[in-house]
């Protein structure tokens, strides 16, 4: 059946998001309709509203959510009405060398359906009947969403929606960057640039991985204080434009073993690379503007054997890593509730975006 839903939409770049009533059509073959319980507000959603991430407008925001299946389309065997699910924002064709090789975040067909369902169409329209795009196959900042079954992962029904939602991006991105991309070794030293929803999860991932020293870096003091609760052992508060390389080299006797850039700036990526020790690994997690670039002193590559790499969605395999993250939570190792600074109604979505932009939240979560 078709359903009415309130949704947070970006109609115009650099304007506040608007909340509107939309129509969500019934699922077609391979699709599922979900009644959302909660949706986190990620910096990537904000980036879609200011053009850093270029997406077709008007766009239903949201890619970090949990909810309950209310209808399944033809051919869907893995999910049933009543199942609880978390959204996954990567496109997986299932057949390319990367999908087959267990690296779906690198799927060769990824660019095929950035703001639609995999078949290139949408099940969402506004009050005048015009189609609405969906953020990365999700568009889950809405009371209902019809999604492809490959963009959903079934979870344990005991986990509250607001906690589970965070696994749909911030947690898997941050903890996954530590576990899957960098494979941080116990006892090592880690520097983390940017202590928002993603950076805090790099920090807790590093703590769980047994890092010896975790240095949290941000321009806002409240963020690094919070970082201590997630496992940071030392903190640095930067003035705008300040380069902490010297301080990091001094603190760690030559540079940290790993550095994670969780802001989205080529300048910070260069600093992260510069700061790491010989043979160290710098990982860019933040998503910078399309025209941004970074630089390394070429000579350091052979003589210092340093690595600069990136991590997309924590190099995860959603059906393996989401349950893994939630098992860490159920085992008391992973903090989820502590990530949520504030809960908002869908009508308060514009406020949630303003609070994210001004750095007020670790994570703001919209609850339905
Ligand atoms: N790679 C991925 O798959 C992936 C997934 C999700 C988000 N992201 C990206 O990760 C980045 C972080 O996302 P988030 O949701 O945590 O954002 P956020 O806004 O919650 O956090 C960003 C933090 O960086 C801090 N900051 C800003 N400028 C800084 C500077 N010069 N030095 C140090 N700290 C600085 C801010 O104060 C804030 O605490 C964004 O670019 C987002 O698009 C990437
Ligand atoms: Zn995100
Ligand atoms: Zn593929």
């Amino acid at each position: 059946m078709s359903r009415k839903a309130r949704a947070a939409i970006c109609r115009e770049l650099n304007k506040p998001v608007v909340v509107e009533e939309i129509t969500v059509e019934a699922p077609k073959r391979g699709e599922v309709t979900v009644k959302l319980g909660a949706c986190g507000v990620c910096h990537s959603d904000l980036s879609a509203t200011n053009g850093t991430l270029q997406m077709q407008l008007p766009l239903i925001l949201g890619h970090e959510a949990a909810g309950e299946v209310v209808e399944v389309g033809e051919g869907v065997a893995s999910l049933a009405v009543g199942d609880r699910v978390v959204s996954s924002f990567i496109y997986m064709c299932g057949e390319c060398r990367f999908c087959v090789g267990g690296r779906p975040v690198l799927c060769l067909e990824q660019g095929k359906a950035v703001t639609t369902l995999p078949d290139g169409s949408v099940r969402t329209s506004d009050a005048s009947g015009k189609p609405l795009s969906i953020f990365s196959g999700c568009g889950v900042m809405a009371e209902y969403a019809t999604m492809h079954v490959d963009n959903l992962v079934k979870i344990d029904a005991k986990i509250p929606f607001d906690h589970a939602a965070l696994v749909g991006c911030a947690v898997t991105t941050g903890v996954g960057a530590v576990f899957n991309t960098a494979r941080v070794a116990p006892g090592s030293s880690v520097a983390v640039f940017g202590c928002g929803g993603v950076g805090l999860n790099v920090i807790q991932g590093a703590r769980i991985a047994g890092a010896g020293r975790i240095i949290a870096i941000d321009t806002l003091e409240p963020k690094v204080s919070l970082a201590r609760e997630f496992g940071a052992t030392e903190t640095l508060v930067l003035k705008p434009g300040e380069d902490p390389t010297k301080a990091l080299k001094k603190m760690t006797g030559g540079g940290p073993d790993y550095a994670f850039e969780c802001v989205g700036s080529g300048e910070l990526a260069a600093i992260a690379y510069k700061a790491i020790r010989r043979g160290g690994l710098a990982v860019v997690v933040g998503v910078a503007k399309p025209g941004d670039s970074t630089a390394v002193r070429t000579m350091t590559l052979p003589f210092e054997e340093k690595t600069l790499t990136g991590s997309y969605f924590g190099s995860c395999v959603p059906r393996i890593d989401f349950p893994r993250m939630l098992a860490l939570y159920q085992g008391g190792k992973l903090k989820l509730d502590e990530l949520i600074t504030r809960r908002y109604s869908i009508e308060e979505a514009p406020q949630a975006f303003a609070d994210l932009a001004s750095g007020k939240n670790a994570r703001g979560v919209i609850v339905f």
Side-chain angles (χ1 to χ4, degrees):
M1 64 188 257
S2 115
R3 295 175 169 84
K4 298 284 181 206
R6 303 289 291 167
I9 294 168
C10 173
R11 284 204 172 265
E12 240 186 293
L13 290 185
N14 300 308
K15 289 274 165 64
V17 302
V18 289
V19 180
E20 295 178 17
E21 187 171 86
I22 63 165
T23 300
V24 180
E25 285 167 37
K28 294 195 174 164
R29 188 171 180 83
E31 298 169 1
V32 171
T33 299
V34 177
K35 182 179 195 297
L36 280 313
C39 178
V41 188
C42 173
H43 205 105
S44 299
D45 293 304
L46 183 65
S47 291
T49 72
N50 63 28
T52 297
L53 277 174
Q54 293 169 329
M55 294 196 181
Q56 177 77 40
L57 305 183
L59 175 77
I60 305 173
L61 296 154
H63 60 280
E64 183 184 89
E68 188 179 321
V69 173
V70 290
E71 194 174 341
V72 296
E74 217 185 297
V76 173
S78 56
L79 289 175
V81 170
D83 283 349
R84 286 188 166 212
V85 287
V86 168
S87 59
S88 160
F89 61 82
I90 53 164
Y91 180 92
M92 312 187 285
C93 79
E95 288 176 14
C96 75
R97 55 182 288 212
F98 293 108
C99 283
V100 171
R103 301 281 281 119
V105 301
L106 301 180
C107 175
L108 287 171
E109 301 290 327
Q110 205 175 76
K112 220 175 99 179
V114 179
T115 56
T116 63
L117 290 164
D119 72 357
S121 65
V122 291
R123 307 286 164 264
T124 36
S125 54
D126 67 10
S128 65
K130 293 210 178 71
L132 292 164
S133 309
I134 49 173
F135 188 114
S136 281
C138 294
V140 282
M141 212 172 278
E143 290 165 318
Y144 289 95
T146 293
M147 297 160 73
H148 193 268
V149 68
D150 286 347
N151 290 97
L152 293 164
V153 176
K154 186 175 167 175
I155 58 157
D156 186 334
K158 290 192 290 295
I159 299 168
F161 286 136
D162 52 356
H163 294 178
L166 303 175
V167 169
C169 183
V171 170
T172 303
T173 298
V175 178
V178 172
F179 286 15
N180 300 330
T181 316
R183 299 175 190 267
V184 165
S188 52
S189 54
V190 177
V192 182
F193 294 81
C195 304
V198 172
L200 290 171
N201 280 294
V202 169
I203 289 166
Q204 64 173 336
R207 188 198 75 236
I208 295 165
R213 296 178 73 179
I214 304 171
I215 305 164
I217 305 159
D218 204 289
T219 46
L220 301 173
E221 203 285 325
K223 290 295 180 77
V224 298
S225 300
L226 189 61
R228 285 196 184 269
E229 290 176 36
F230 286 83
T233 57
E234 286 131 291
T235 59
L236 286 175
V237 180
L238 300 186
K239 294 184 193 74
E242 185 184 344
D243 182 345
T245 303
K246 265 196 190 148
L248 286 168
K249 296 245 184 230
K250 201 166 161 209
M251 285 165 90
T252 53
D257 300 313
Y258 305 90
F260 293 86
E261 196 278 355
C262 306
V263 179
S265 137
E267 205 181 310
L268 275 185
I271 291 173
Y273 175 81
K274 230 178 3 158
I276 49 172
R277 64 153 169 82
R278 288 169 170 261
L281 175 66
V283 183
V284 176
V285 183
V287 177
K289 289 193 167 63
D292 193 42
S293 62
T294 196
V296 301
R297 263 181 75 212
T298 318
M299 197 191 204
T300 60
L301 290 163
F303 290 156
E304 298 182 12
E305 291 197 358
K306 301 211 276 190
T307 306
L308 177 64
T309 188
S311 178
Y312 183 44
F313 204 9
S315 310
C316 79
V317 177
R319 290 202 178 107
I320 294 174
D321 286 290
F322 287 13
R324 199 172 157 213
M325 299 301 153
L326 290 169
L328 285 169
Y329 160 71
Q330 288 177 310
K333 292 203 168 79
L334 189 81
K335 294 176 194 277
L336 293 181
D337 196 37
E338 295 82 347
L339 280 170
I340 304 174
T341 312
R342 186 172 159 189
R343 291 169 176 81
Y344 302 84
S345 68
I346 183 67
E347 301 304 328
E348 293 171 317
Q351 187 60 47
F353 277 82
D355 289 349
L356 170 65
S358 65
K360 272 197 192 142
N361 293 345
R363 221 28 159 202
V365 174
I366 292 175
V367 287
F368 300 99

